Amino acid sequence: MDNYAVVGFPVRHSKSPMIHRMFAEQTKQVLTYDRIEVAPEEFIAKVEAFFAGGGKGLNITVPHKERAWEMVDWRSPNAEKAGAVNTLYRLPDGRLAGANTDGVGLVRDIEQNHGCSLENMTVLILGAGGAVRGLLPRLIAARPGRIIIANRTVSKAVTLKTLFADQFTIDVSAYDSLEELAPDWIINGSSAGLQGGMPDLPATLITNHTCCYDMVYAPGGTVFQHWAKKSGARLALDGTGMLVEQAAESFYIWRGVRPETGPVLQALHKLLSDQ
Ligand code: ATR
């Protein structure tokens, strides 16, 4: 039997086992998918042991994605620039390979599940940490008209601007100078929501054509989603679709089969609404 798992710290709330088991059932693939909780100092040894024991693939989640990027022998072009890896597997020659499917997950959720386009749109991104860097390669490939990264620490947004300067001219901003922007999309990649907060944004930022997307999710909705709804946004989406789509891309890399994401997303929504 082929073995897969998600590695994180903590990882007990991860929905990846449920998602991948549903994909496997749907596509008639015979595999196991577990959770492995690993502290940062044990990460490399545990990953090596998993593959040495015949394991086929790992999903990597917080806080290990950057360390996974460092340890692989080969990176997909997206992962190279993303600076983080969420999917590990072995190449036919035995080298450990790393991919990053988070950006694909976000763009596919927006374009395919919600039927929206990012092409020529003005996209405001909140946050400039690892999560935002990870999605930029695919976001740029979706051909937005303009990308603005706003962050509490503006210098970190400038670092991302410089890193991607060969592909796209990203603008940077502080949160309190966004009044005139009128973005088509606002993507929340800041981790302020983990402490129940969100960046302090001008009330004029949202109009009735603004679509808002939170990269995370929470039962009952995230703080950012509630703010977006209250402010009159056209859409206030959470990251459940991104979670299922990034998983589908990992599954495809590992198994060569593309699962249908719709039924799995429905099951996940039901699970979260029952919590
Ligand atoms: P991740 O891997 O989740 O991106 P990270 O690299 O630590 O984690 O980045 C966290 C992001 O959330 C950063 O953009 C951070 O802003 P700073 O760069 O100014 O630290 C942002 N963030 C975290 N808590 C925040 C808060 N309370 N208000 C605004 N931004 C916050």
Side-chain angles (χ1 to χ4, degrees), residues 127-132 151-153 156 175 189-192 195 199:
V132 168
N151 197 38
R152 182 174 59 181
T153 313
K156 284 210 262 183
Y175 288 129
S190 100
S191 59
Q195 300 101 45

Side-chain angles (χ1 to χ4, degrees), residues 115-208:
C116 299
S117 173
L118 291 162
E119 202 170 342
N120 295 323
M121 298 287 162
T122 295
V123 179
L124 170 64
I125 300 175
L126 311 176
V132 168
R133 180 175 168 186
L135 69 86
L136 278 170
R138 282 308 295 239
L139 188 70
I140 290 170
R143 303 160 59 90
R146 199 175 163 206
I147 297 175
I148 304 98
I149 300 181
N151 197 38
R152 182 174 59 181
T153 313
V154 177
S155 61
K156 284 210 262 183
V158 173
T159 302
L160 292 185
K161 174 190 172 77
T162 308
L163 192 63
F164 288 90
D166 57 335
Q167 290 171 25
F168 200 91
T169 305
I170 295 173
D171 296 320
V172 303
S173 176
Y175 288 129
D176 58 6
S177 9
L178 295 167
E179 271 94 356
E180 307 297 322
L181 193 64
D184 301 298
W185 281 89
I186 306 176
I187 297 172
N188 182 29
S190 100
S191 59
L194 299 179
Q195 300 101 45
M198 61 169 277
D200 205 3
L201 300 171
T204 53
L205 193 59
I206 290 192
T207 67
N208 60 7

Side-chain angles (χ1 to χ4, degrees), residues 7 9 36-49 64 67:
V7 180
F9 189 70
I36 305 178
E37 185 156 290
V38 175
E41 58 275 15
E42 295 169 0
F43 177 73
I44 291 177
K46 280 279 163 61
V47 169
E48 283 172 351
H64 302 308
R67 188 153 305 185

Side-chain angles (χ1 to χ4, degrees), residues 61-273:
T61 187
V62 178
H64 302 308
K65 290 183 189 183
E66 281 85 3
R67 188 153 305 185
W69 184 90
E70 285 166 12
M71 83 174 282
V72 294
D73 305 310
W74 180 88
R75 303 176 189 116
S76 70
N78 267 348
E80 183 68 44
K81 200 84 175 174
V85 148
N86 75 341
T87 306
L88 295 180
Y89 57 105
R90 280 219 191 278
L91 296 173
D93 64 10
R95 285 180 299 159
L96 186 62
N100 188 320
T101 65
D102 287 330
V104 187
L106 173 89
V107 171
R108 230 173 245 159
D109 188 39
I110 288 176
E111 291 184 345
Q112 293 179 15
N113 298 340
H114 297 289
C116 299
S117 173
L118 291 162
E119 202 170 342
N120 295 323
M121 298 287 162
T122 295
V123 179
L124 170 64
I125 300 175
L126 311 176
V132 168
R133 180 175 168 186
L135 69 86
L136 278 170
R138 282 308 295 239
L139 188 70
I140 290 170
R143 303 160 59 90
R146 199 175 163 206
I147 297 175
I148 304 98
I149 300 181
N151 197 38
R152 182 174 59 181
T153 313
V154 177
S155 61
K156 284 210 262 183
V158 173
T159 302
L160 292 185
K161 174 190 172 77
T162 308
L163 192 63
F164 288 90
D166 57 335
Q167 290 171 25
F168 200 91
T169 305
I170 295 173
D171 296 320
V172 303
S173 176
Y175 288 129
D176 58 6
S177 9
L178 295 167
E179 271 94 356
E180 307 297 322
L181 193 64
D184 301 298
W185 281 89
I186 306 176
I187 297 172
N188 182 29
S190 100
S191 59
L194 299 179
Q195 300 101 45
M198 61 169 277
D200 205 3
L201 300 171
T204 53
L205 193 59
I206 290 192
T207 67
N208 60 7
H209 83 270
T210 316
C211 299
C212 293
Y213 195 107
D214 202 336
M215 285 171 66
V216 296
Y217 62 89
T222 69
V223 178
F224 176 71
Q225 267 184 300
H226 289 302
W227 172 80
K229 275 184 201 152
K230 199 178 71 195
S231 310
R234 185 180 137 210
L235 287 175
L237 308 172
D238 72 5
T240 45
M242 175 177 173
L243 176 71
V244 174
E245 294 299 334
Q246 64 79 29
E249 186 67 16
S250 297
F251 192 89
Y252 178 71
I253 289 172
W254 292 328
R255 310 298 300 181
V257 182
R258 213 170 263 294
E260 247 188 83
T261 50
V264 179
L265 190 49
Q266 246 176 12
L268 183 61
H269 280 146
K270 179 162 185 331
L271 182 84
L272 290 172
S273 68

